[in-house]
Amino acid sequence: MSESEGLPARGVVFWPVGTGDSTTVVIDDLVVMQVDLHDMAKADDDATPEVAVVDRLVEALPLVDGAPYLATFVLTHADMDHCLGFADLLDKVTIGELWSTPRLWREYNDPDAPDLCSDAIAFREESERRITATLEAVNAGDVPASGNRIRVVGYDDEHSSHAYDGLPDEYLAWPGQSVTVLDGHERAGVFEAFIHAPFKDDAAAARNETSLSMQVTLTDESGVDGKVLLFGDLAHDTIMKIFDYSEYHDREQYLAWDLLLAPHHCSKKVMYKKNSDGNDQLQMDVLNAFERNARSDATIVCSSAVFPGADVDGQNPPHQMAADRYAEIADDVICTMSWVDENAPSPVVFGVDAEGPRIIVGDLVKSADREAAFELAASATGRRFAAITAAAVAVGNAIPRVVAATPSATGPERVQAAVTSDRGGSQAPDAPVGFGR
């Protein structure tokens, strides 16, 4: 880890949002990609200050035609801890393009599928509106405008019963394809997203196993690049399918990583499976696959509550045993909710420039708001990355106020209660405690 003279022009910001994903990829001053969203909102007490993830993100985005503009929103899968706040974001921002997966429509058509939360429903409805707009534009010999665009990633044999059936190939993507265009902006040479999943054979699998998964490569003008693996909430078998498939097809370059976002919030299901006796059995194949594809100084980021120290059977992620295994294969393992300061966590900021890909620490992150203000005024490079970083810093700084509002619970306890509620646990409170909208 090191510091430079200023924040890079591009990189990835992992927001401290408890056990949930909010990942912002900054390609340049105009083009920003948001992968998942977990907005933290008020507790039941109206006096509790809100940690406004959406509002902070909106303030940091570029303006196009006078409105905040997000080039692309990617939903890996429709769990609440990956889409909470989407309806609010959609109301406040022009989202140029959505990336969706077929699973949304399979679940909609299946009466036995788990219920979607209101934000997932809002995402599906917005996806269908864009599909209609795209087909209308195509039939008129035109292309859909920014704000109406969609890309469906993955393939389902039941596509004829899904709303996206009939979309031309340019609005679809499958595993094995690279994408360099976001909302009509060609960024080849500085950005590439290689699609790993969902696989066709997993279309009917559990929701987590249909997660959109990809390698994101960001390249500085000097030619230096940084690679990030985003695997959603995948578990062992599907992750190994990704490694096996890419290695079989001689595509190891798309498995390389400088930063791995730990799948499923540091879940042990990535590297443990139950044996015939019902005990957790370590699967070294996936750890070996991660390790052999790691680049020098590789870092694993866990977007989760503070590691528990010891695991309790049946508890939700994060799992200490998974964190311990990751520590054996990576140079650094970072938990977003304890990074730098557990009481006021800092965002994890991954930057790419001529100095190389790295986690950025110290005053550069703390002073991001001042740098953003200066660079936005001066139209210097790195301004958007600084603005997004500053917004995530503000979220982390607000967390102590939320915790202080409920002195009977610790920060980790509040986060775990929110996770249980988000996933519909039997002990979930009637309303989310710490997150929700």
Side-chain angles (χ1 to χ4, degrees):
M1 298 182 185
S2 63
E3 299 182 17
S4 67
E5 293 301 319
L7 284 172
R10 58 188 54 89
V12 185
V13 177
F14 301 89
W15 297 57
V17 292
T19 301
D21 281 345
S22 287
T23 303
T24 308
V25 183
V26 180
I27 292 91
D28 54 38
D29 288 344
L30 176 64
V31 180
V32 178
M33 167 192 274
Q34 181 69 27
V35 182
D36 292 332
L37 179 67
H38 192 217
D39 191 19
M40 299 190 293
K42 294 179 181 179
D44 293 336
D45 183 359
D46 290 338
T48 301
E50 181 174 320
V51 182
V53 174
V54 166
D55 290 347
R56 290 295 189 178
L57 175 61
V58 170
E59 292 169 358
L61 291 173
L63 295 178
V64 173
D65 296 329
Y69 169 69
L70 177 64
T72 304
F73 183 92
V74 178
L75 182 63
T76 61
H77 63 296
D79 277 349
M80 185 184 294
D81 53 348
H82 290 256
C83 65
L84 196 61
F86 174 77
D88 188 27
L89 180 69
L90 183 65
D91 185 55
K92 296 176 179 178
V93 169
T94 298
I95 302 176
E97 178 182 64
L98 294 185
W99 286 19
S100 184
T101 64
R103 179 60 188 231
L104 277 176
W105 291 282
R106 178 178 280 268
E107 293 201 27
Y108 181 63
N109 293 336
D110 182 0
D112 296 324
D115 290 339
L116 295 173
C117 68
S118 60
D119 280 296
I121 292 171
F123 184 89
R124 176 178 55 77
E125 291 175 346
E126 175 63 11
S127 295
E128 293 182 353
R129 184 195 70 77
R130 288 167 182 252
I131 290 168
T132 299
T134 298
L135 292 174
E136 289 176 350
V138 169
N139 291 335
D142 204 349
V143 295
S146 178
N148 286 334
R149 292 177 177 143
I150 187 166
R151 186 185 299 273
V152 178
V153 182
Y155 183 89
D156 190 336
D157 284 332
E158 296 185 2
H159 62 85
S160 61
S161 63
H162 298 170
Y164 67 88
D165 187 53
L167 280 178
D169 284 353
E170 56 263 41
Y171 304 104
L172 306 174
W174 299 273
Q177 290 185 322
S178 287
V179 178
T180 60
V181 178
L182 297 176
D183 190 35
H185 303 288
E186 175 62 77
R187 290 297 186 265
V190 297
F191 166 83
E192 179 184 16
F194 181 85
I195 307 299
H196 280 298
F199 290 105
K200 174 182 176 180
D201 294 343
D202 294 325
R207 184 186 295 166
N208 286 348
E209 297 308 316
T210 66
S211 292
L212 192 160
S213 306
M214 59 186 170
Q215 179 207 58
V216 171
T217 300
L218 298 175
T219 305
D220 182 68
E221 282 74 9
S222 66
V224 175
D225 65 27
K227 297 180 181 293
V228 178
L229 286 182
L230 303 172
F231 282 172
D233 278 5
L234 297 182
H236 172 272
D237 290 355
T238 309
I239 293 173
M240 281 309 303
K241 189 185 300 186
I242 287 173
F243 282 109
D244 292 342
Y245 186 87
S246 293
E247 290 174 347
Y248 177 80
H249 289 278
D250 297 322
R251 294 172 175 167
E252 289 91 347
Q253 70 271 30
Y254 295 115
L255 299 172
W257 57 279
D258 298 287
L259 188 148
L260 167 69
L261 181 61
H264 202 183
H265 321 293
C266 199
S267 170
K268 66 181 181 180
K269 291 184 178 180
V270 171
M271 71 287 289
Y272 286 93
K273 296 175 68 174
K274 296 291 186 183
N275 61 19
S276 58
D277 296 324
N279 298 318
D280 291 320
Q281 184 169 344
L282 181 62
Q283 308 296 305
M284 286 302 300
D285 56 353
V286 70
L287 292 175
N288 291 336
F290 281 138
E291 186 171 25
R292 69 174 172 266
N293 289 286
R295 301 168 95 182
S296 61
D297 300 321
T299 298
I300 295 176
V301 172
C302 305
S303 184
S304 71
V306 178
F307 298 150
D311 294 319
V312 176
D313 192 42
Q315 74 181 21
N316 284 319
H319 298 133
Q320 186 63 52
M321 60 200 304
D324 291 342
R325 299 293 79 73
Y326 285 136
E328 295 167 359
I329 65 170
D331 292 273
D332 289 291
V333 177
I334 296 173
C335 171
T336 53
M337 288 301 286
S338 61
W339 179 231
V340 182
D341 183 351
E342 183 176 322
N343 295 315
S346 175
V348 180
V349 181
F350 174 79
V352 180
D353 60 14
E355 293 192 15
R358 66 201 187 282
I359 300 296
I360 299 173
V361 297
D363 291 340
L364 281 177
V365 173
K366 294 178 182 178
S367 62
D369 55 343
R370 295 192 296 274
E371 180 175 348
F374 172 78
E375 293 192 354
L376 283 168
S379 296
T381 58
R383 56 186 181 174
R384 191 60 53 201
F385 192 48
I388 297 292
T389 299
V393 168
V395 166
N397 288 340
I399 289 172
R401 299 200 307 271
V402 176
V403 175
T406 54
S408 61
T410 66
E413 286 169 346
R414 289 171 53 78
V415 170
Q416 188 58 46
V419 172
T420 304
S421 177
D422 280 358
R423 297 175 181 169
S426 60
Q427 301 302 315
D430 292 335
V433 184
F435 305 104
R437 188 172 289 281

